[in-house]
Amino acid sequence: MCGIVGYTGRLEAAPLLLDGLRRLEYRGYDSAGVAVLDAGRIEMVKASGSVANLAEKTANGAALTGKCGIAHTRWATHGAPTDTNAHPHLSEHGLFAVVHNGIIENFAALKGELEAEGIVFRSETDTEVVAHLLEKYYDGDLKSAVMRTAARLEGSYVLGVLCAKEPGRLFCVKEAGPLILGVGVGENYFASDVTALVSRTKNVIYMSDGELAELTPEKITVYDRTGRETAKEVSHVVWDVEAAEKGGYEHFMMKEIMEQPRAVKNTVEPRIRGGEIVFEDFGLTAEEIRRFSRVVITACGSAYHAGVVAKYVIESLCRVSVETALASELRYSDPIIDGRTLLIVVSQSGETADTIAAMRECMARGARSLAIVNVVGSTIARLADNVIYTHAGPEIAVATTKGYTTQLAALYLFAVWYADKLGAIDAARRAELIAALYALPSMVQRAIDLNVHVKYLAERWHGHKSLFFIGRNIDYAAAMEGSLKLKEISYIHSEAYAAGELKHGTIALIDEKRLVVALCCQEQLYDKMVSNIQEVKARGAKVLGVALEGNRRIFAEADDVLYVPRGERLFAALPEIVPLQLFAYYIARENGCSIDKPRNLAKSVTVE
Ligand code: M6R
């Protein structure tokens, strides 16, 4: 969603801040702004639309002089995406500039109070109250003004604060939402995402909720909620800046699809040693895991779809009951959770607001939590009792690809480990499953190698206005993800349906204008899928079959076929999604859509 960056050092701030904003653009935004401090005056420029507009208005930052500043990309929540509503926001007398990620829930009450004191608001945003409160509470002590202001705020907020009377000094505050400090030499940074920092420094500090930080060029000081100085560990980011750049591809999404064999390998292989699955730094012992009576998996979007796949896999291998719940529903469902529940939380970003809220709710009821997360040091990773990191590297395209497949890989690893600890599989089956895990990267590569054929099919079918993805069992779970990929980047209506459920109402929508993508990789259910294909064909629909290599029978049923490499049945969703990612990509490209930054979407949904 919104992105923030702050810099204090010896260089001109504005060009560096603009570079940081460009690296945050992938998160979704509709306007941007920058403020720098020069000779006791805050200079500010804002622009609706892309960071390129802001760059043009400021001659790439050269029009602004000052060595300390803050900047923001906005995803509108309160007020339209106009220049006025863009951040930063200034206080009444221009003493403070503020950037903000999140939502101030009590802003209406605060605004009423400030207006009664004679303050005139310029924007429609919730953020502007923060600037005015800072000026109201500032009496020469910046830290105290920031703390008093933060104490008045309800909701989620990450704030960056610049004060005209405090040269070289920045403050930032975190209360739900990511905030990372970049530790430099003679310069320091803050940002809402590591990608904004890695071109300048790889030494970072992950902030926790309730903390505030004071940055000068020479020093970073972090304080807890009570204002007491708190010691923080400096972590080292392991990936290079190139990982967050396109590297010759037209889109990040294609680059990330192509990176999947490596990402899956990095997730799986370090965890297999001597024919056993080993989770380092993993707090769950075999004894503890045997005490769980059920598993609840919670997540949003594609991560939820990975959870639906995992339900089939864990139940099949472990014979333990698994519920997969949408985090946005679970959080308000008064869930039946206790100390015998293992809660698996799946999230690429580790910052999804609904997922965090559901996790907190379940942990408060006694659940032990295991997070499957990509971003190191993210909120979910830090809240969880145990973490399995997916090693996907930075994912920039809004539509997740390698984030999702590495989630599947991590969940498969966990399922096999869990089954083994429960004694639910014998040594021969364990060896077979471990071999299947090892084979996953090469299967993904073989699926990618069919790229040219997928492109041809996308060119053939891109004109359809409505698609259905159908499947049974794990194929149904994969259909959900295939359908989401298509709709989010191509804006074509698409629905995923359990193939057997279609005839209970939705088949009324099937006619000669529909394309049905029929996933047939669970061969134990192949004949049932053939019946469903015949049902839709009888009503005029065209069918694109997705089947395992070597299946010749499918040609008699489908108009076209996408093949998927054959391997362990339970792990089929992983290679199976690759042609569907490519299919969505090429259809969106044919239709001229904004692939990496689809309309209305943000990379990480940090508000409810
Ligand atoms: O960062 P998370 O995995 O928690 O994000 C969850 C969803 O917002 C995310 O998977 C979303 O559905 C993707 N845009 C799908 O491509």
Side-chain angles (χ1 to χ4, degrees), residues 300-303 347-349 352 398-400 407 484-485 488 605:
C300 300
S302 297
S347 175
Q348 188 282 128
S349 63
T352 302
V398 165
T400 182
Q407 283 163 356
L484 178 64
K485 274 308 68 95
E488 70 181 327
V605 185

Side-chain angles (χ1 to χ4, degrees), residues 15 31 37 109 145 149 184 202 240 313-314 334 347 353 362 364 401 408 438 444 476 537 594 599:
S31 52
L37 179 59
T149 299
K202 288 191 177 176
D240 288 322
V313 178
I314 297 172
D334 193 8
S347 175
C362 294
T401 51
L408 287 183
Y438 259 121
V444 174
Y476 170 45
K537 288 220 78 169
S594 165
R599 69 182 180 209

Side-chain angles (χ1 to χ4, degrees), residues 335-496:
I336 302 170
I337 301 271
D338 60 22
R340 295 188 65 213
T341 308
L342 173 64
L343 177 77
I344 302 182
V345 184
V346 189
S347 175
Q348 188 282 128
S349 63
E351 301 294 350
T352 302
D354 282 323
T355 309
I356 294 169
M359 180 180 186
R360 287 192 202 276
E361 182 63 43
C362 294
M363 288 177 76
R365 290 169 192 242
R368 277 292 291 280
S369 58
L370 163 63
I372 311 262
V373 187
N374 190 39
V375 178
V376 176
S378 57
T379 304
I380 290 176
R382 281 179 293 121
L383 276 177
D385 298 313
N386 302 281
V387 183
I388 301 174
Y389 281 111
T390 55
H391 296 310
E395 191 178 61
I396 307 296
V398 165
T400 182
T401 51
K402 62 177 182 170
Y404 170 78
T405 45
T406 53
Q407 283 163 356
L408 287 183
L411 286 160
Y412 295 163
L413 275 168
F414 174 74
V416 177
W417 178 86
Y418 190 12
D420 191 32
K421 296 296 169 247
L422 292 177
I425 50 172
D426 61 19
R429 179 68 174 136
R430 184 181 70 193
E432 200 174 78
L433 289 164
I434 287 181
L437 287 167
Y438 259 121
L440 286 173
S442 65
M443 291 181 71
V444 174
Q445 186 57 57
R446 278 166 50 216
I448 287 175
D449 292 343
L450 301 173
N451 189 14
V452 176
H453 182 59
V454 184
K455 183 166 181 279
Y456 158 76
L457 292 182
E459 281 161 9
R460 183 163 173 202
W461 295 111
H462 76 273
H464 274 261
K465 299 277 177 287
S466 172
L467 278 83
F468 282 81
F469 285 70
I470 61 170
R472 288 171 178 261
N473 194 271
I474 289 172
D475 283 341
Y476 170 45
M480 291 178 173
E481 178 59 9
S483 169
L484 178 64
K485 274 308 68 95
L486 182 74
K487 69 184 133 197
E488 70 181 327
I489 61 168
S490 74
Y491 317 144
I492 293 174
H493 168 255
S494 155
E495 281 185 47

